[in-house]
Amino acid sequence: MPTADPDAQRRLLDLAEVDRAVAAAQHRRASLPELAVIAAGAGRIDELNGRLVLAQTEVGDLDRAARKLDDEIESVRLRAQRDAERLAAGAGGAREQENLQREIESLARRQSTLEDEALELMERREGADAAMAAVQGELDVAMAEVEQAVVRRDDAFADLDDELSRLDAQRAELVAQTPQDLLALYERIRASGKVAAGRLNGSQCGACRMMVDNVALAELRSAAPEAVLRCPECGAILVRS
């Protein structure tokens, strides 16, 4: 059975408390609610950016279609104007005059049809504009929520990092005061994911909270003060008062 100065063993309780505090701070750091908000927000922003690109593309397509229609309407109007001028000037014979009149009427119908199409495009453009603005509004909200969460996360990280820095300094001081063989045993138990040291409170292990049976308890109590005892249930170093 290994041995160590009782005072050194008692310092293990302080070391175990520091290690519990470090683990708790690290857990809080890894499970901040803001981290979930940021992750979900990033996905939402990606989705909204995709929708915004589609909305912008639709608006651009409608604008190009509207410009094409405007050019065609202007071409029809100019052609009708030229025909009207020729008709008014009495150019050509009666048959040509009749053809000009029919063409002017046809062009008027064509211009009316094109203007109706342009009006429909304008209405569609207004709808596309509204849809694009709605997506942009959702995107602005999502980005603001993420930005606020990032600020809260960074503030929490700063506080937790300060706490962890303070705990690291405390741990380093305790480690420096602990005999190497006792520390090695402690670290080996801790590396298994268990609480490495606990106080023996009556018949209860302070590390695992399990009750030690009477036979094992009698052996523990009869051991020399320098003996390094282990919990028969969890294997933690048991420190007697």
Side-chain angles (χ1 to χ4, degrees), residues 35-185:
L35 297 177
V37 172
I38 292 168
R44 176 70 172 154
I45 288 170
D46 285 344
E47 175 204 350
L48 289 170
N49 274 323
R51 287 171 54 189
L52 183 60
V53 169
L54 291 176
Q56 291 169 337
T57 300
E58 182 179 4
V59 168
D61 289 345
L62 289 172
D63 283 346
R64 283 189 291 275
R67 287 193 296 271
K68 183 178 179 181
L69 265 178
D70 287 343
D71 290 345
E72 191 170 356
I73 289 170
E74 181 64 11
S75 176
V76 169
R77 187 190 67 78
L78 290 174
R79 184 174 176 184
Q81 181 180 331
R82 287 194 299 270
D83 286 352
E85 290 171 353
R86 291 181 63 196
L87 184 64
R95 187 172 184 82
E96 185 176 349
Q97 290 281 302
E98 184 180 345
N99 289 338
L100 284 172
Q101 184 62 47
R102 282 199 296 271
E103 183 170 313
I104 289 170
E105 292 170 357
S106 175
L107 289 170
R109 290 192 298 272
R110 177 60 179 161
Q111 182 173 340
S112 177
T113 297
L114 292 173
E115 287 172 347
D116 287 344
E117 292 178 7
L119 181 60
E120 180 184 349
L121 270 180
M122 187 181 302
E123 292 172 351
R124 288 174 59 191
R125 175 65 159 76
E126 290 174 357
D129 268 343
M132 183 173 65
V135 174
Q136 183 65 62
E138 291 183 60
L139 180 59
D140 291 342
V141 170
M143 291 179 68
E145 288 176 350
V146 168
E147 288 172 1
Q148 292 166 7
V150 166
V151 171
R152 295 195 303 273
R153 179 205 63 187
D154 290 347
D155 288 343
F157 275 0
D159 291 341
L160 288 167
D161 288 345
D162 285 345
E163 181 180 352
L164 286 167
S165 179
R166 176 179 56 80
L167 290 169
D168 285 346
Q170 290 180 14
R171 190 178 200 280
E173 184 177 350
L174 289 168
V175 165
Q177 298 171 1
T178 305
Q180 288 300 309
D181 53 349
L182 183 61
L183 181 63
L185 174 61

Side-chain angles (χ1 to χ4, degrees), residues 18-49:
V18 168
D19 284 339
R20 276 193 290 268
V22 167
Q26 290 173 337
H27 176 74
R28 292 198 305 275
R29 199 181 195 283
S31 58
L32 286 172
E34 287 75 15
L35 297 177
V37 172
I38 292 168
R44 176 70 172 154
I45 288 170
D46 285 344
E47 175 204 350
L48 289 170
N49 274 323

